[in-house]
Amino acid sequence: METLRSTRFFLFHQSCDLKLEKLQEALLKGLTLMRYLTEENSSRSSLEKFYAQVKAGDFSQENYFFQTEVGTFNAEITQNAVTLKFILTQDTFYQYAPLLLDFSDLWQQQYGLYGYGRAEREYLHSNVKKIAKRTFESHFEQEKLAKYKNSQGEILVDCSQFPGCDLYYEDLLFTSCWLMYVSKEYEKVVPKEIFLEAQEVEKIQYFSDSPQKTIKTMLFKDPYKEEAPRNLHGALLYSEQLGICHLSLENGVGLLKEPRIEYFKTGDYLQCVQYRNDYFQPEVKSKATLFITRTVALSSGEKKVDVLRGYLNAKAFFPWMDERKSQMVAFQVLNPYKTLDFGLKALAYHIRRLLEVKVEDENFQDFERILMIYLPKDALDNLPIDLLKNEFSDTEIKRKRFSKEYSLQFEKNGQKLQVIFTTFDKLNLPHKEKILAQMI
């Protein structure tokens, strides 16, 4: 990535729901920090006005914004929460880094839901979707970026491919950048041990005695060294250890890479499986030899941890088993209209992944493997079947056509996979509406 002109520093803090007194207190502390940063600055009049107004108990405005020589400050009040955004010059960051970190630690412990600090250029690179706004890259660099189409047919950069992309899940922010804070609210979707035991990071601190049970993670030492190969690797690995990126289906096909962790939620129970190698290091699912399963009862907070060695059984890849018919079935939901190649790359990835899975279980050696691919209703007649066959030059393919479905049988090295292409309306899964809503 080409170095951006911007060298500013971005500090972001989001509070949890606060009572009126705490809301005023949280906002005042943000204003106090900016008063200190602008102590020798000539552009403080609007800041002082805001400060006096809030201290007097009048913070009825929804948005507070002002700009000084050291940067900009923005505070937004939404219902019972406050969001603080600081965009500071690089010199200001380096000069006041210890103060900024102390402020962030204390603010998050008292009021924080989540927050982060990062170089603005890294934030922009990871989150700007519109190609016309990515003026920090050459045309050649943009051509190499993954892209997708939105519901209006506009071509956008697929930022979910970047570890620093801001992803929201269950109203909580997940990303992978220089400095991150998460609160106790995250335990509703991610066991805190996932954050506390993350590998290849610079520093993890758990403020267990704080009101918000804040966890602070620093990926590397200097936010302006984000392009160093080791730091890029660390940011990507951290993102994959959290695994939230696999829940983003905005591009219609998902991430197209194996997970290092998977989540399952049933009723009151949250469960996740971390995939590891023999040295307890994060590993992709198909190559893992050690499995850490964490189960949390959300109502009581009771936890259970199981650690197993070995290999995944067939059910890990084909969750639907029909022993009467000797069939094991996997499914995938795709929207090829959101892709630039009508889903060709995604179809090839998912088919090859399941075709080449090694089934170690003797009980399932003779089961027929089936992959159900659910698509928009009119996509069946436009599938790039001939191009798909070109992706499998090493595989024997037999084609069948049913009244409302396509079926292809792939065979390689004695292993067979029956792929059935069908439509969204045939999908019969819990949370079907939620899954399909992400495909629109």
Side-chain angles (χ1 to χ4, degrees), residues 9 11 33 37 88 92-93 96-104:
F9 180 78
L11 187 63
L33 174 63
L37 296 178
L88 306 172
T92 301
F93 166 74
Y96 294 102
L99 172 65
L100 294 171
L101 288 173
D102 284 347
F103 166 84
S104 298

Side-chain angles (χ1 to χ4, degrees), residues 10-240:
F10 192 14
L11 187 63
F12 173 89
H13 291 299
Q14 173 67 51
S15 82
C16 58
D17 284 348
L18 300 171
K19 293 182 178 179
L20 202 60
E21 181 181 339
K22 288 290 184 182
L23 189 67
Q24 179 188 28
E25 192 177 281
L27 183 55
L28 276 174
K29 287 186 177 179
L31 288 165
T32 299
L33 174 63
M34 283 305 294
R35 290 177 83 205
Y36 185 86
L37 296 178
T38 58
E39 193 171 29
E40 299 177 1
N41 196 289
S42 60
S43 55
R44 291 189 59 185
S45 57
S46 59
L47 170 59
E48 292 296 346
K49 176 184 175 183
F50 285 144
Y51 184 85
Q53 183 178 325
V54 173
K55 192 169 184 179
D58 177 11
F59 44 101
S60 55
Q61 289 181 229
E62 293 183 355
N63 191 293
Y64 299 82
F65 175 85
F66 61 88
Q67 186 165 3
T68 73
E69 283 89 339
V70 303
T72 63
F73 171 78
N74 181 220
E76 296 178 12
I77 298 176
T78 306
Q79 296 179 340
N80 301 319
V82 60
T83 303
L84 304 181
K85 298 178 184 178
F86 303 84
I87 301 180
L88 306 172
T89 65
Q90 185 179 31
D91 289 343
T92 301
F93 166 74
Y94 279 128
Q95 182 179 353
Y96 294 102
L99 172 65
L100 294 171
L101 288 173
D102 284 347
F103 166 84
S104 298
D105 288 355
L106 294 171
W107 198 94
Q108 283 290 330
Q109 289 177 64
Q110 291 295 318
Y111 321 108
L113 181 62
Y114 52 75
Y116 58 59
R118 62 211 294 188
E120 186 192 30
R121 66 192 186 195
E122 181 273 321
Y123 170 80
L124 294 173
H125 172 77
S126 300
N127 290 282
V128 175
K129 297 178 181 180
K130 290 185 177 291
I131 296 174
K133 292 186 177 181
R134 297 183 70 93
T135 55
F136 43 83
E137 290 168 330
S138 67
H139 177 72
F140 176 74
E141 288 170 321
Q142 290 177 359
E143 285 294 307
K144 294 188 292 183
L145 298 176
K147 302 177 184 68
Y148 72 102
K149 295 179 182 178
N150 63 14
S151 55
Q152 289 77 43
E154 181 184 10
I155 296 177
L156 303 173
V157 172
D158 185 3
C159 290
S160 67
Q161 305 295 317
F162 304 131
C165 178
D166 286 1
L167 298 174
Y168 287 87
Y169 183 70
E170 301 290 337
D171 296 324
L172 297 172
L173 173 68
F174 293 85
T175 193
S176 180
C177 64
W178 175 65
L179 176 69
M180 295 163 288
Y181 295 90
V182 298
S183 66
K184 60 187 178 183
E185 297 299 319
Y186 278 69
E187 283 225 67
K188 291 186 286 190
V189 293
V190 178
K192 69 173 181 287
E193 290 78 12
I194 304 301
F195 296 102
L196 294 175
E197 298 174 11
Q199 297 185 27
E200 296 190 37
V201 303
E202 180 68 23
K203 181 191 297 184
I204 298 174
Q205 287 179 269
Y206 180 33
F207 302 101
S208 59
D209 295 330
S210 68
Q212 289 305 104
K213 305 292 183 186
T214 304
I215 299 173
K216 170 188 175 182
T217 304
M218 184 178 287
L219 291 189
F220 38 86
K221 291 182 179 179
D222 188 334
Y224 290 96
K225 301 293 184 184
E226 82 282 3
E227 293 179 280
R230 181 178 177 181
N231 295 340
L232 283 173
H233 168 75
L236 180 60
L237 181 61
Y238 182 79
S239 174
E240 292 180 353

Side-chain angles (χ1 to χ4, degrees), residues 294-305:
R294 302 182 186 275
T295 305
V296 181
L298 296 175
S299 58
S300 66
E302 183 181 352
K303 297 181 179 181
K304 181 182 177 182
V305 181

Side-chain angles (χ1 to χ4, degrees), residues 272-288:
C272 69
V273 181
Q274 295 170 271
Y275 302 115
R276 295 287 186 263
N277 61 22
D278 287 339
Y279 303 99
F280 274 79
Q281 296 169 324
E283 183 57 274
V284 295
K285 182 176 180 177
S286 65
K287 296 180 180 179

